[in-house]
Amino acid sequence: MAKALFVIAPGMFRDEELFHTKEELEDSGIETHIASLRKGEFMGRLGGRAVADISVSEAIAANYDAVIFVGGPGENQHGLPENPAVLKLAREATRNPAEIATATNLATVETIHQCWMPVGRSDRSLVLMRLIEQSAA
């Protein structure tokens, strides 16, 4: 079974980016996990709640078929672009060409551009479709 890891800020992440994408992947049979700076329950910008079952410092990119960085105002408020564990995970996710690193908005791509391959909005659906197709194989 394919696995995807979402990386969210510990508050003020973009609900619509996390929940919609997570639902689409799960409906396609992909196991999903959420990571943040620490484990726990966090509230999104629109009031949705998500539980991070792993901290970013514990996450290993090679354990996932996709690492998806979710944007939102909390990204900068909580220092994700400068966080060593976040940057390490992003670098690991792009070292293995079999893995997919993506962002769910342009701001996230720009903030960690130094360590990962940016995927633009128009390419995002293609990346996620590739993951879904791989899980069905």
Side-chain angles (χ1 to χ4, degrees), residues 69 84 86-96 114-116:
F69 294 82
V86 172
L87 295 174
K88 179 179 181 275
L89 180 63
R91 284 186 195 103
E92 288 175 356
T94 57
R95 284 197 180 132
N96 181 348
Q114 71 271 27
C115 64
W116 75 335

Side-chain angles (χ1 to χ4, degrees), residues 13 16 21 26 35 44 56 61 63 77-78 90 97-98 106 119 130:
F13 56 86
E16 63 278 23
T21 308
E26 289 173 345
V56 174
N63 292 342
Q77 291 172 356
H78 295 281
L106 187 57
V119 175
R130 188 175 338 142

Side-chain angles (χ1 to χ4, degrees), residues 13-24 34 44 48-50:
F13 56 86
R14 292 199 54 183
D15 303 56
E16 63 278 23
E17 292 180 2
L18 172 64
F19 297 121
H20 176 72
T21 308
K22 186 175 183 297
E23 180 181 347
E24 291 290 320
I34 299 174
R49 295 186 180 277

Side-chain angles (χ1 to χ4, degrees), residues 61-67 92-101 117:
N63 292 342
Y64 301 93
D65 299 289
V67 177
E92 288 175 356
T94 57
R95 284 197 180 132
N96 181 348
E99 295 174 14
I100 303 167
M117 181 176 18

Side-chain angles (χ1 to χ4, degrees), residues 23-105:
E23 180 181 347
E24 291 290 320
L25 294 178
E26 289 173 345
D27 287 349
S28 298
I30 296 168
E31 180 181 330
T32 63
H33 296 270
I34 299 174
S36 191
L37 297 181
R38 61 187 184 282
K39 295 177 187 178
E41 184 178 63
F42 303 107
M43 187 179 298
R45 184 175 59 97
L46 301 177
R49 295 186 180 277
V51 176
D53 53 355
I54 187 171
S55 70
V56 174
S57 61
E58 296 171 317
I60 300 169
N63 292 342
Y64 301 93
D65 299 289
V67 177
I68 303 166
F69 294 82
V70 176
E75 173 184 18
N76 288 320
Q77 291 172 356
H78 295 281
L80 269 68
E82 299 83 31
N83 184 284
V86 172
L87 295 174
K88 179 179 181 275
L89 180 63
R91 284 186 195 103
E92 288 175 356
T94 57
R95 284 197 180 132
N96 181 348
E99 295 174 14
I100 303 167
T102 185
T104 53
N105 74 16

